[in-house]
Amino acid sequence: DAGVIQSPRHEVTEMGQEVTLRCKPISGHDYLFWYRQTMMRGLELLIYFNNNVPIDDSGMPEDRFSAKMPNASFSTLKIQPSEPRDSAVYFCASSFKAGNTEAFFGQGTRLTVV
Amino acid sequence: QQQVKQSPQSLIVQKGGIPIINCAYENTAFDYFPWYQQFPGKGPALLIAIRPDVSEKKEGRFTISFNKSAKQFSLHIMDSQPGDSATYFCAATPRAGNNRKLIWGLGTSLAVNP
C-alpha cells in the first residue's frame, strides 16, 4: 500500500478563496483523522471519522471549516472562506479499528493564505 | 487546555548521548501512550508505545519509562545518532470503547550533533 495520500502537497491561495484538501486513507482502515499543525499550537485534531461517519468534530475551528468522507477511500477538508490565520500544515491520518491505535499519517498539505 | 505537557521544547545532545523527553498527563482515564517521531516535511510516524500495565518498554535504542502514580512518562534514546534529529511528540488516548482521539504534547525538537 502506498500509505495515506494527500493532495495537494502545497497550496497558496488568496484570502477569501475556497480551499479543498484531499485525502486517501490506507485501504482497510476504519478511522480517518484530520489534523492541523502550527508552531504555536502544535498538532491539533480537527475531526475524525469512523466508517465514514464523523465521530468528533469538536476541534473544527469554526463554521468556515467542513469535512466530508463520502466513501471509505476518500475525504476532503474544505475551508471557505480562507483566512491568513488558516496557514498551517494539514495532515490526514488513518488507522485500523481493531488492535493498537497506531495512526498512519500522510505527508501533509502546506497551506499558505495570503 | 493542554492535557499532556511535554518538556523540554528543544534539546541538543552530542552523538552517543542519551536525550530524555518527559511528558505528564492529568486524565487518569488515559491508557495508551505513544511516541511519534517527525522529520521535516513528513508526517509523524509511530516510534514506540506503552500501556500503563508496564513500567518500561524497549524497542532498539528507544525506551519508554512509565510512572503511573506520578502520571508521567518519558522517552530515552540510547546512543543517539545524528539521524535521530527530529521532532518527538508524546500523546495519550483515553480508555473507552472505540475512542481514537489522541491528545498530543507540543513536541520536542531534538538535534544530535555529530
Side-chain angles (χ1 to χ4, degrees):
Chain A
D1 199 316
V4 175
I5 299 173
Q6 292 187 245
S7 64
R9 290 295 311 278
H10 302 274
E11 176 81 30
V12 180
T13 191
E14 292 185 348
M15 182 174 64
Q17 296 298 304
E18 177 180 294
V19 175
T20 299
L21 311 182
R22 297 173 175 79
C23 175
K24 176 177 168 52
I26 293 173
S27 177
H29 281 191
D30 303 277
Y31 285 81
L32 184 138
F33 307 82
W34 281 102
Y35 284 92
R36 179 172 65 178
Q37 185 175 42
T38 60
M39 288 296 294
M40 291 299 296
R41 300 173 67 90
L43 269 169
E44 300 174 277
L45 177 65
L46 301 177
I47 184 172
Y48 77 95
F49 296 82
N50 179 21
N51 291 326
N52 314 337
V53 176
I55 302 300
D56 186 337
D57 65 355
S58 59
M60 295 286 264
E62 46 199 273
D63 292 345
R64 297 184 298 106
F65 285 69
S66 63
K68 294 182 180 180
M69 192 165 185
N71 57 62
S73 60
F74 183 67
S75 177
T76 59
L77 178 68
K78 186 177 293 186
I79 308 172
Q80 167 63 20
S82 58
E83 297 183 2
R85 61 192 169 118
D86 302 330
S87 298
V89 180
Y90 291 81
F91 287 103
C92 176
S94 68
S95 70
F96 283 113
K97 176 179 181 178
N100 66 46
T101 58
E102 177 178 1
F104 293 82
F105 282 76
Q107 300 242 54
T109 295
R110 180 173 294 277
L111 173 65
T112 303
V113 183
V114 298
Chain B
Q1 180 181 1
Q2 185 65 35
Q3 297 185 50
V4 176
K5 295 182 179 180
Q6 184 173 346
S7 62
Q9 185 176 357
S10 63
L11 190 55
I12 301 174
V13 300
Q14 293 298 121
K15 178 182 174 182
I18 306 175
I20 300 173
I21 304 171
N22 300 298
C23 283
Y25 63 97
E26 299 172 356
N27 189 342
T28 55
F30 289 158
D31 77 334
Y32 175 73
F33 303 89
W35 285 90
Y36 280 75
Q37 180 187 54
Q38 184 180 26
F39 293 105
K42 304 291 186 182
L46 181 67
L47 186 63
I48 185 173
I50 196 169
R51 293 195 181 273
D53 52 345
V54 297
S55 61
E56 186 177 276
K57 183 174 181 179
K58 290 184 180 181
E59 287 187 5
R61 295 184 294 107
F62 300 91
T63 298
I64 299 179
S65 297
F66 186 83
N67 186 329
K68 187 175 181 178
S69 61
K71 291 186 285 187
Q72 295 176 348
F73 58 109
S74 60
L75 176 69
H76 301 235
I77 306 176
M78 308 302 290
D79 187 25
S80 59
Q81 302 296 313
D84 297 329
S85 298
T87 300
Y88 293 82
F89 294 92
C90 63
T93 193
R95 191 179 306 125
N98 293 322
N99 189 328
R100 288 293 183 271
K101 185 173 182 176
L102 279 170
I103 309 300
W104 296 80
L106 291 179
T108 296
S109 177
L110 171 66
V112 181
N113 292 330

